[in-house]
Structures are given as structure tokens and as C-alpha cells.
Amino acid sequence: MEVLGVKGFFLLILYLWFSKKVVGSTNSSVSSRPKVVKIGALFTVDSVIGKSAKPGIMAAVEDVNANNTILSGINLEVIYKDTNCSGFVGTVEALQLMENEVFAAIGPQSSGIAHIISHVVNELHVPLLSFGATDPTLSSLQYPYFVRTTHSDYFQMYAVADLVDFYRWRQVIAIFVDDDNGRNGVSVLGDALAKKRGKISYKAALSPGATESNISDLLNGVNLMESRVFVLHVNPDTGLDIFNVAKNLGMMKSGYVWIATDWLPSKLDSMETVDTDTLKLLQGVVALRHHTPDTNLRKSFFSRLKNTKGVETSRFNSYSLYAYDSVWLAAYALDTFLKEGGNVSFSSDPKLVNTNGSMLHLSSLRVFDGGPSFLPTLLRMNFSGLSGRIQFDPDNNLIQPSYDILNIGESGSRRVGYWSNYSGLSVLAPEILYTRPPNTSSSNQKLFNVLWPGETINTPKGWVFPNNGEPLKIVVPRRVSYLGFVSKDKNPPGVKGYCIDVFEAAINLLPYSVPRKYILYGDGNRNPDYSQLVNEVALNTYDAAVGDVTIVPNRTRILDFTQPFMESGLVVVVPVKEIKSSPWAFLKPFTAQMWCVTGAFFLFVGAVVWILEHRHNPEFRGPPKKQIMTIFWFTFSTMFFSHRENTVSGLGRFVLIIWLFVVLIINSSYTASLTSILTVQQLSSQIEGVESLISSTQLIGIQDGSFAKRYLIDELNIQPSRIISLKDPKAYVDALTRGPKAGGVMAIVDELPYIELFMSSTDCKFRTVGQEFTKSGWGFGFQRDSPLAVDMSTAILQLSENGDLQKIHDKWISRHDCAAKVNDDVDSNELSLSSFWGLFLICGIACFLSLIAFFVRVFCQYMKFIPESDGEVDQENPSDRPRRTFRSSRSFKDLIGFVDKREKEIKEILRQKSKKRRRAESLDDQLSSPI
């Protein structure tokens, strides 16, 4: 009995242990749906975002639990944790939240806390659905369990960049809170502006707890800078303090531009009442707000929140919508996860089991076992929420990011347009644009008019000269030659010349004053090196370069140049001299082919006229020798219109009229060409242009300081030893006159404006050959991204259009034009057949048509003449009809004899034969009549 009792007791203990294990094992692997699931909410309750987010989360949880179609039979509970605007407190609260076996967490709103907590949720496999952390660096690659349920500031900063580019501003000053969200957002803004050829000229960072004194010091500093476009990316709880300080410093008046990110609309939308003073303070500010569709469902949701008991405010911003949709996203994903056989279970992290006696109790943190399967389910959800479409792209960002662009005025905020990454800036809502093909072209970017600070609709230029009392430092080359372009002056401002007058005239057209100081560059003995002068501006030694500075590619890489105010280009100059004409110069006007064709036509036309006139005109008859002489005499005498033979036939006169017209054109062209050949100057060198200059081995002269030296060496591969720098025009004359054999140069390469003055001052003893082999111009150079370069370009164009630019040119640069362009080869004056083939064609056609008409007429006469000459009447039997006898072939000699007869003789013969024919016919009639 005792033994049995011991065995029974042991079996009972074993049964109970086994039952416990079985039950425990069943609980850990149960596939039935849980009755309650927990979701966490992590944000700062007493904040602009938190006051709107909490009611949204509460309403979402209530709606999920009331909806029988989702999570049926499961109650969704939310656990709230207040981060209290503290990174440390937020981290601790997040860790405590993970002890409560939550399958997902809504929040946090702070990007700084999100960076820390994302490491925790990655380890615990709990998705973090953040409706407020917009830091662009919160990447899904580093933090796969961080799921952003709002739009990243990456897109907002590109919207700001498009806005800046739309108004053609090139520099902005970024004012931001020096935390993760502020720094990383401004970094993206810099990248976005760089793609639009803009930049952040200064990054003004504020500490998270900056005092009014700190803000004042920072704004005083940026107010001394050039840019007047401020991008404000701060926290909504303290951002209005910056505008209060800016108002006191006079930075909210006309000429200033303030662009606020979404923090400002979030602040204004959550305020119970926006007083008039606040709206006056913000007058003219442009702000971006997350775009949410203006649906009836959205309106009813805000109306419902206002009537909810226990809510601290009656005004809500867009974050309440994103928080509401975040809860629904988690609920939809969990419902799908469970339907697909998922299990909501938690376990301890084996890495945290042994904490070495630490009081932190990290072992209590629970791992969501189904997290690796639940996360993909979450990211493939697709539904329409209050904030818009909830769907994620491959980078785990919400699709279709878009923003409202607001203009704040004294009566409130006014929407002036929208931005979306689909079509950029537009006055149409993104929902409409999504139904059309994407179009981000500049012509498609549109916004309504903005009322800027100072209540002006004129777009501010976005910059001013720094208020530090220093004028613009302008470097001017101190030239020793061609002083009409730029030179030193004893009177203020210390410089004068064509370039200076153009610059001053353009400055006077600007709508603002430009304090400036001219500084001469060079020793006054030789022209300065212009490349070094340009480098000094690029190194910020000077603010601008004004003078005869040529715009070339290597300079445009380091400076911004204005529109060219004078066209320029490199040309080749060589000496010329008079060359005596050749004794055979009279043959030069025509090419050999032209001479041959012209002579042939003289003979041809003479022969045609002789044929047409031979039967009618006694002057074209006589012995063969006389007729040949007549042909030659007549045809060549038409060259001088001195032919004495008259034409009497219509066809002959027709051919002669056309031929005389051809002769007139040929004579005129010959006279003009011969005159040109006999008076032209010919080059004394063999250089015909830049090609022959490159192929030669002779010395080349250039002007001191010119870019031509580097161009000849780098681009044309000319040896540096062939290039000689010359000081002034006198050195040009001396070097060209002596020539390469006497220590001079074969040619000079310089810019066209200088060469035109040089040739004018030397009575055109030198000439340019070939064409300009560079196309450039003179412009004013400014430091990179200087807005003054754009405004000055516009002013130069105005000077050109109103004629002032030409007047300044005529004032300083007076020259007389040399003869027309010198022909390198006299043969270019020769006239070829291609210039006259049309005339010869017309003349030839007229001759052939006349000959055809002539021979047709002769043939008809001959056919009438033949029968009578072959038939004869029997005189003994006159009653017999005349018999026509035909020979098998006619003698060619008879035909020629017929053609050679006079026209009068032919007509008389035909008339007599006609009478005989009529008598013969009358006799036949008598014989055939009955007696």
C-alpha cells in the first residue's frame, strides 16, 4: 500500500508536469486568433503635433474596434507613452513600451528619437510607424522596421528648390534647428538647389533651446549677407519666435523672402484662433503644407474630432490624419497577417537574457516573433486613407508626395499652387494631374500671384549688397595699348574708356544702387595677364572684372560672365603691297573654258544669222570667200555693237536681239572683273589663313596678356618658340614690316576689335586673311553664382536695344573702314562658265528654233518645186496629161542650189510654175469634154 502510494504520487506529479508542458506548449504555438492585441503610441502629448495626433489615434482605435470587417473578435488596445520633448525620456519610454508585447508602435514624432528607437525595433522586430519623423536619412536600408507613414523631407526640400528656381533666385540662407531633422533636411536642400544651379550661401543653425537673444544674434549676422531669401526649417512649437525677432530687426519688409517648411502651417492649423497680430507678422511668408485631398470624409473627421469629449483643442493639423491612417495601416496589416496564418506571439531576446545583474531589466523586452513576416505584409498594404493613398514604393516611401503652397496674409493663408514630384509646380490639384501624363517642363510650372512682404506683388530680386559698408571691388586691367577700350584716368572714378562707360550705363539701369570701387591691375609698362586677373576674382580677391575681358571656356568655369557687350574673335593679320599687273592681265577676267565657249558662240551665232539672212539679204551673198569674211566680221563686230550689216528677216532679227543682250552682259562682266584685277592689292606673304599659319614654321606675334597664346599652344598645337609677345601697335608694325627674315614675324594673331583699330591707324597697310577662327565676345566677369551677373546681362541687352551701346562705341572707337575684304587669290575674280550658262542656253535655244523654222519653210518650198521640175508636157501630143518622172534619189547639189537661190527667185519660179499648172489643168478639161 505504501509502495503503491509512492508510485501513485510520483505518477500524479509526472502527470501534472506533463500537462503543464503540454498546455504551455499549446499556448506558445496556438493558431487561434487572440482576443486582445496591443499597439503602442509614442509622441509628445503637449506639442503642436501631439495635440493633433492623439485625437487621431484615439478615433482610429475606436473605429477599428467598431468595425466587424477587420480584426473580427479582436480588441485593439493602445498604450500611450509621452516623450515629453526629450530624447532621453523618449528613449526610455520607448523601451518601456517594448515590454508590453506591442505588435507595432505609432510614432515617434521626433527624428532624433526615431534614430535611436529604430535600432531597438530592428532587434525586437516591432514595426515603428512614424507619422512625424521626416528626417530624410531615416532609410529603410539601415532601419528596415522604421516605416514612415508621412512624406519625407526629401520631397519637401525638392519642392522648396523648385520654388526658388521658379522665381529665378540662385542663393538662399537656410535657418534651421541643429538636430538630426534640421541638419539632414538642409543637406538635402543643398543637393536639390545644386541641381537647379542654386546654392545655400549660408547655413544658420539654432540650438534646440535657443533663446531670443540667440535668435537675434543669428538674424543680425545673416542680415549683413547678400541673400534675402530665407528658408526656415525649425520646430512648430518655437518657430514663431524667429519671426518676432525678424520683425523687430526690420527683416519682414519689402525685399525679403521667407519660405517656411510644413512646421508653420501645422502651427497655424492647430491654433484655436489666429490673432490679427500674428497674421500681420507673417504677411508675405510662403509656406509648404502636406497636401491631403479635400474630401467629405476628411471634413467629417475634423468635425467629429471637434465634438469629441476630452480633446484639448478644436483645431487640428494634417498630422492627425497621418496618425489616424497609421493605426488603420497596422490594423489592416495585422488582419491580413492573421488570415494568412500568422501568429501574434512574443519571446525574450536571447542576447538580453544575461544582463550581469543590471537593474535595467532589459531582459523584459519582448521580441515579436511574427515581425519578419508581418513587416512585408505591412508594406504591401494599399488603401485610401484620410491623408490620401496609403501605398509604399520600393524604397518604403509613401507614393505621390505632394504639398500645398500657401501665401500668408493679414486675412489668413491663401493657396497659390501645389507641388508634386509628378508634375512639379502647378495651380491644379495633384489628383487632377495624376490622370494626365507627367510634365515637369519649365513652361508647365505655374503658380498664382504671391503677395510678398511689404504687400507687393513684384517678385523680390532675392539679394542685396552686404550691409557691411564695403563697396564692390572691381578690378580693371591697366592697359598700355588701345587705350580707347580701358585706361587709367586722373579724375574719379580713376578709369575711363569704352568698357567702363558700358559698365556704368548698365549699372545705372539696375533698380538698385551698387556701391563700387575700381582697382587697376598691372604695372603700367605692359598689358597685364588677363588669365591671372580672372583668377584673382575667382579667389575672392576682387568681386568683379570689368574691361576687355574675353569670354573663353576656361574662364567660364571659374567665373560667371554677363551677356557679351562686344563681339570678338581671333584673326590673322599679314602685310600687303602693290604688285604690278601682268601684261596678260586682260585675259584674267574669264577662265579658259569661258573664253572657249564665248568664242564658239560668236562663230555659231554668226553662222546662224548668215543662214537666216542669206536668201533675203544681199549683204550676206557673194563669193564664198566674201561670205566667210562676212560671217567673221559680223559676229565679232557685235561685241562692240558696230556691225554694219543689217538684218532683214524676222528670224535673223530675233536671234540678233537675243545675242546682243548676251553680249551686253558679257561685256559688262568683263569690264568689272578686269577693273578689279588691275586695281586689287595682293598679299606679300604666303599665309592665307589659320590653316597655312599652322603648317608654316614662321614666327607669330600676339598681344601682351592675351588669351591667344594659350589658344595657339593648347588648341592649335603651335610650338611656344614660334610665338612672340608684342607690346603695342608700334611693335606690330615693326615686326610685320621686318618680316621673319629680318627678326620680325610672318603674321599676327589678335582679337578683331584690336585689329580693326590697328589697320585703321596704319592706313590699311595690313590685311586680315581667312575667317575668324574663334567666336567669342567681351563680357564682365563676376564671382560664381553672383546674381549681379544676371541683372547686368539684362541691362546690357537693354543698352543694345535702345541704341546706347552703339553710341558709346562710336564715342570711344572711331575708325575708317579699310577696303573691302582682300582676295587672297586674284583668280577668285575670274568669271567662269557657271555664271553665264543660262544666257548661252537661251541664245542656243533661240538659234535652234530659228533654224528649225527656217529649214521647215525651205523644205515646204522645195517640195512644191520638185514636181514641176521633174514633169514635162508632150508638145506633139498636148492632149496627153503631163507625166511626172521621179528619180530614185535627188542630187544634194540640187538641194544646195535651191537653198542658195534668192528668195525672190524662188517665189518667181513657184509663181510661174503655178501658172503653167493652171493652164495644163484647163487644157485637160477641154480635151476631156465631148464634141
Side-chain angles (χ1 to χ4, degrees):
M1 208 44 204
E2 183 177 353
V3 174
L4 181 61
V6 173
K7 289 182 178 179
F9 178 78
F10 176 79
L11 291 173
L12 178 63
I13 295 299
L14 183 62
Y15 172 78
L16 292 176
W17 179 84
F18 180 79
S19 298
K20 184 177 180 181
K21 289 294 182 181
V22 171
V23 171
S25 176
T26 302
N27 288 339
S28 63
S29 61
V30 64
S31 59
S32 60
R33 295 165 66 90
K35 298 298 182 181
V36 177
V37 290
K38 298 177 183 178
I39 189 171
L42 188 66
F43 55 88
T44 299
V45 176
D46 189 19
S47 66
V48 170
I49 296 177
K51 290 178 181 180
S52 291
K54 185 174 182 179
I57 295 174
M58 294 172 59
V61 172
E62 181 181 345
D63 291 346
V64 169
N65 289 331
N67 194 324
N68 293 326
T69 63
I70 184 172
L71 295 180
S72 178
I74 300 177
N75 188 50
L76 180 64
E77 290 185 0
V78 59
I79 301 174
Y80 294 100
K81 292 293 182 178
D82 188 359
T83 60
N84 200 26
C85 291
S86 169
F88 175 74
V89 174
T91 303
V92 173
E93 293 291 339
L95 293 174
Q96 292 178 355
L97 185 65
M98 296 302 146
E99 297 176 353
N100 292 281
E101 297 186 344
V102 294
F103 71 93
I106 308 299
Q109 70 188 58
S110 168
S111 296
I113 298 176
H115 274 282
I116 300 174
I117 301 305
S118 293
H119 291 285
V120 177
V121 298
N122 282 353
E123 183 70 23
L124 302 180
H125 302 164
V126 178
L128 192 63
L129 310 183
S130 178
F131 58 86
T134 57
D135 181 358
T137 63
L138 285 166
S139 167
S140 61
L141 295 176
Q142 183 181 8
Y143 308 116
Y145 283 87
F146 174 82
V147 180
R148 199 191 324 265
T149 56
T150 185
H151 294 297
S152 168
D153 277 343
Y154 175 89
F155 303 105
Q156 181 173 211
M157 293 308 169
Y158 271 82
V160 173
D162 282 351
L163 191 63
V164 171
D165 182 66
F166 178 79
Y167 292 109
R168 302 184 183 280
W169 299 316
R170 287 291 172 260
Q171 297 184 23
V172 303
I173 293 176
I175 302 175
F176 61 98
V177 175
D178 193 14
D179 58 12
D180 290 336
N181 186 61
R183 285 191 303 272
N184 297 329
V186 169
S187 177
V188 173
L189 176 61
D191 296 339
L193 287 172
K195 294 182 178 180
K196 302 289 185 179
R197 293 197 64 190
K199 71 174 184 178
I200 300 176
S201 60
Y202 184 73
K203 296 180 180 180
L206 286 167
S207 62
T211 63
E212 183 174 328
S213 176
N214 298 140
I215 297 172
S216 180
D217 292 341
L218 183 141
L219 293 184
N220 270 315
V222 299
N223 197 35
L224 296 176
M225 298 178 184
E226 186 177 84
S227 179
R228 282 293 180 266
V229 181
F230 302 105
V231 177
L232 199 56
H233 186 52
V234 295
N235 297 325
D237 299 281
T238 58
L240 289 180
D241 296 339
I242 297 175
F243 285 113
N244 285 319
V245 176
K247 180 73 173 181
N248 296 332
L249 296 177
M251 297 174 66
M252 299 298 296
K253 59 184 180 181
S254 178
Y256 288 84
V257 177
W258 290 88
I259 301 175
T261 53
D262 65 295
W263 69 268
L264 182 56
S266 299
K267 175 67 175 179
L268 297 179
D269 290 344
S270 61
M271 294 175 67
E272 293 291 339
T273 57
V274 183
D275 58 89
T276 306
D277 292 339
T278 300
L279 292 177
K280 287 184 178 179
L281 173 67
L282 300 175
Q283 190 277 316
V285 175
V286 176
L288 277 72
R289 178 177 63 191
H290 287 105
H291 174 73
T292 54
D294 190 15
T295 60
N296 293 328
L297 187 63
R298 176 176 176 270
K299 294 177 182 177
S300 62
F301 173 73
F302 281 136
S303 177
R304 169 190 170 188
L305 292 186
K306 290 180 182 179
N307 299 323
T308 302
K309 295 182 179 180
V311 178
E312 299 181 5
T313 180
S314 61
R315 300 267 300 178
F316 306 93
N317 54 43
S318 60
Y319 287 99
S320 62
L321 304 177
Y322 288 112
Y324 181 88
D325 289 342
S326 298
V327 176
W328 272 99
L329 172 63
Y332 276 125
L334 182 61
D335 184 63
T336 303
F337 173 72
L338 293 174
K339 289 179 179 178
E340 293 176 351
N343 183 30
V344 180
S345 62
F346 299 86
S347 60
S348 299
D349 189 345
K351 298 178 182 179
L352 299 175
V353 171
N354 184 11
T355 57
N356 297 324
S358 171
M359 300 299 292
L360 294 177
H361 302 291
L362 297 178
S363 59
S364 62
L365 298 178
R366 308 292 289 170
V367 177
F368 180 22
D369 297 330
S373 300
F374 178 63
L375 179 63
T377 304
L378 189 75
L379 293 175
R380 60 183 170 88
M381 291 294 100
N382 184 357
F383 66 95
S384 294
L386 294 180
S387 61
R389 196 73 191 165
I390 306 300
Q391 182 182 355
F392 296 94
D393 63 17
D395 295 328
N396 296 349
N397 293 314
L398 281 180
I399 64 171
Q400 298 177 348
S402 55
Y403 293 86
D404 298 335
I405 300 177
L406 308 178
N407 181 208
I408 302 174
E410 294 185 4
S411 59
S413 60
R414 176 176 63 93
R415 185 189 291 116
V416 296
Y418 306 88
W419 180 91
S420 68
N421 69 331
Y422 187 77
S423 293
L425 299 173
S426 175
V427 295
L428 299 177
E431 291 78 24
I432 299 175
L433 297 175
Y434 293 144
T435 62
R436 304 176 181 178
N439 187 351
T440 56
S441 62
S442 57
S443 61
N444 196 55
Q445 307 300 293
K446 297 178 181 178
L447 291 176
F448 291 118
N449 289 334
V450 172
L451 191 65
W452 301 102
E455 299 185 353
T456 176
I457 62 173
N458 297 323
T459 303
K461 64 178 180 292
W463 70 278
V464 295
F465 286 99
N467 294 332
N468 53 14
E470 294 185 7
L472 200 68
K473 292 183 292 184
I474 301 174
V475 61
V476 177
R478 187 175 183 181
R479 296 192 57 85
V480 298
S481 61
Y482 304 112
L483 300 181
F485 293 116
V486 60
S487 62
K488 181 180 180 181
D489 190 17
K490 296 180 180 178
N491 301 319
V495 288
K496 63 180 180 179
Y498 166 70
C499 300
I500 302 301
D501 280 8
V502 172
F503 184 78
E504 288 290 331
I507 285 287
N508 293 334
L509 291 177
L510 300 181
Y512 47 87
S513 61
V514 181
R516 54 199 178 276
K517 178 177 67 175
Y518 294 101
I519 303 172
L520 289 168
Y521 185 85
D523 57 10
N525 295 321
R526 299 183 77 95
N527 293 332
D529 188 327
Y530 280 56
S531 296
Q532 292 181 4
L533 181 147
V534 168
N535 288 332
E536 291 291 338
V537 178
L539 294 173
N540 297 331
T541 305
Y542 306 102
D543 298 309
V546 172
D548 49 340
V549 181
T550 306
I551 305 173
V552 292
N554 62 333
R555 294 176 183 175
T556 58
R557 296 188 185 100
I558 58 177
L559 292 188
D560 282 348
F561 281 90
T562 64
Q563 172 81 13
F565 59 88
M566 174 173 276
E567 297 299 324
S568 181
L570 292 178
V571 293
V572 179
V573 179
V574 296
V576 295
K577 67 179 181 180
E578 295 286 348
I579 298 180
K580 294 182 179 180
S581 299
S582 169
W584 301 99
F586 67 90
L587 295 176
K588 290 291 185 179
F590 291 157
T591 61
Q593 184 186 32
M594 181 65 182
W595 279 118
C596 293
V597 172
T598 303
F601 257 84
F602 270 104
L603 296 176
F604 173 69
V605 172
V608 170
V609 173
W610 177 84
I611 292 173
L612 298 176
E613 292 291 320
H614 179 71
R615 304 184 70 193
H616 300 274
N617 195 338
E619 294 183 355
F620 288 86
R621 299 186 68 84
K625 182 177 180 181
K626 178 184 177 183
Q627 294 184 50
I628 293 174
M629 292 301 297
T630 300
I631 292 174
F632 278 95
W633 167 257
F634 175 81
T635 188
F636 286 105
S637 62
T638 57
M639 181 184 299
F640 311 102
F641 305 97
S642 60
H643 51 284
R644 65 173 183 267
E645 293 80 9
N646 295 320
T647 54
V648 296
S649 67
L651 293 176
R653 290 176 176 176
F654 171 69
V655 171
L656 183 60
I657 289 173
I658 293 178
W659 175 243
L660 291 178
F661 176 74
V662 173
V663 170
L664 175 64
I665 300 299
I666 293 176
N667 280 343
S668 302
S669 302
Y670 177 85
T671 303
S673 182
L674 181 61
T675 302
S676 176
I677 291 173
L678 294 177
T679 58
V680 73
Q681 286 180 324
Q682 300 181 37
L683 300 178
S684 61
S685 71
Q686 299 303 316
I687 301 299
E688 300 176 354
V690 64
E691 292 80 8
S692 56
L693 188 67
I694 296 173
S695 61
S696 72
T697 58
Q698 303 296 333
L699 296 179
I700 304 170
I702 63 165
Q703 184 182 176
D704 267 347
S706 173
F707 77 97
K709 182 175 183 178
R710 298 310 317 168
Y711 183 86
L712 294 177
I713 296 174
D714 298 338
E715 303 296 332
L716 303 184
N717 296 320
I718 294 177
Q719 294 297 322
S721 58
R722 291 182 54 197
I723 301 174
I724 298 178
S725 295
L726 303 174
K727 180 179 180 180
D728 51 29
K730 293 182 179 179
Y732 281 17
V733 174
D734 179 65
L736 287 172
T737 303
R738 286 189 289 122
K741 295 181 179 180
V745 297
M746 175 66 74
I748 286 177
V749 174
D750 205 349
E751 296 180 69
L752 186 59
Y754 304 124
I755 294 304
E756 288 178 342
L757 286 181
F758 168 69
M759 293 193 302
S760 176
S761 63
T762 55
D763 295 329
C764 304
K765 294 181 179 178
F766 306 94
R767 291 288 188 273
T768 60
V769 291
Q771 302 292 328
E772 294 181 55
F773 53 94
T774 64
K775 290 293 184 181
S776 58
W778 293 352
F780 304 128
F782 295 88
Q783 293 179 4
R784 294 286 290 174
D785 301 317
S786 172
L788 190 59
V790 177
D791 291 349
M792 287 293 288
S793 292
T794 303
I796 290 172
L797 290 175
Q798 293 177 0
L799 290 175
S800 178
E801 291 175 356
N802 61 26
D804 289 343
L805 192 62
Q806 185 61 43
K807 292 178 182 177
I808 298 173
H809 181 278
D810 296 340
K811 171 187 174 183
W812 285 99
I813 307 172
S814 60
R815 64 174 186 268
H816 65 273
D817 291 334
C818 292
K821 181 181 176 182
V822 175
N823 295 295
D824 296 347
D825 190 356
V826 178
D827 290 341
S828 62
N829 287 322
E830 291 183 347
L831 300 174
S832 64
L833 181 61
S834 60
S835 303
F836 299 94
W837 70 267
L839 287 173
F840 288 129
L841 178 63
I842 294 173
C843 183
I845 292 174
C847 291
F848 279 112
L849 291 178
S850 299
L851 288 174
I852 290 172
F854 173 78
F855 284 114
V856 167
R857 183 169 179 273
V858 170
F859 180 75
C860 292
Q861 291 178 342
Y862 187 60
M863 292 303 293
K864 293 178 182 180
F865 179 77
I866 289 174
E868 297 301 331
S869 63
D870 290 339
E872 53 183 349
V873 179
D874 189 354
Q875 299 296 331
E876 296 180 355
N877 298 303
S879 60
D880 294 340
R881 299 186 62 179
R883 293 178 291 107
R884 296 181 179 178
T885 60
F886 296 91
R887 288 178 292 178
S888 58
S889 61
R890 292 289 175 181
S891 171
F892 181 74
K893 184 177 180 180
D894 295 340
L895 176 62
I896 295 300
F898 178 80
V899 174
D900 189 55
K901 293 181 180 293
R902 293 176 179 270
E903 185 71 16
K904 291 181 180 181
E905 296 178 5
I906 295 299
K907 290 182 178 180
E908 183 62 28
I909 293 172
L910 292 178
R911 188 163 46 250
Q912 293 298 328
K913 290 184 178 295
S914 177
K915 291 180 180 181
K916 291 180 180 180
R917 188 182 304 112
R918 286 196 296 271
R919 286 198 300 269
E921 290 174 354
S922 175
L923 181 60
D924 287 343
D925 292 339
Q926 293 176 4
L927 293 175
S928 61
S929 61
I931 300 177

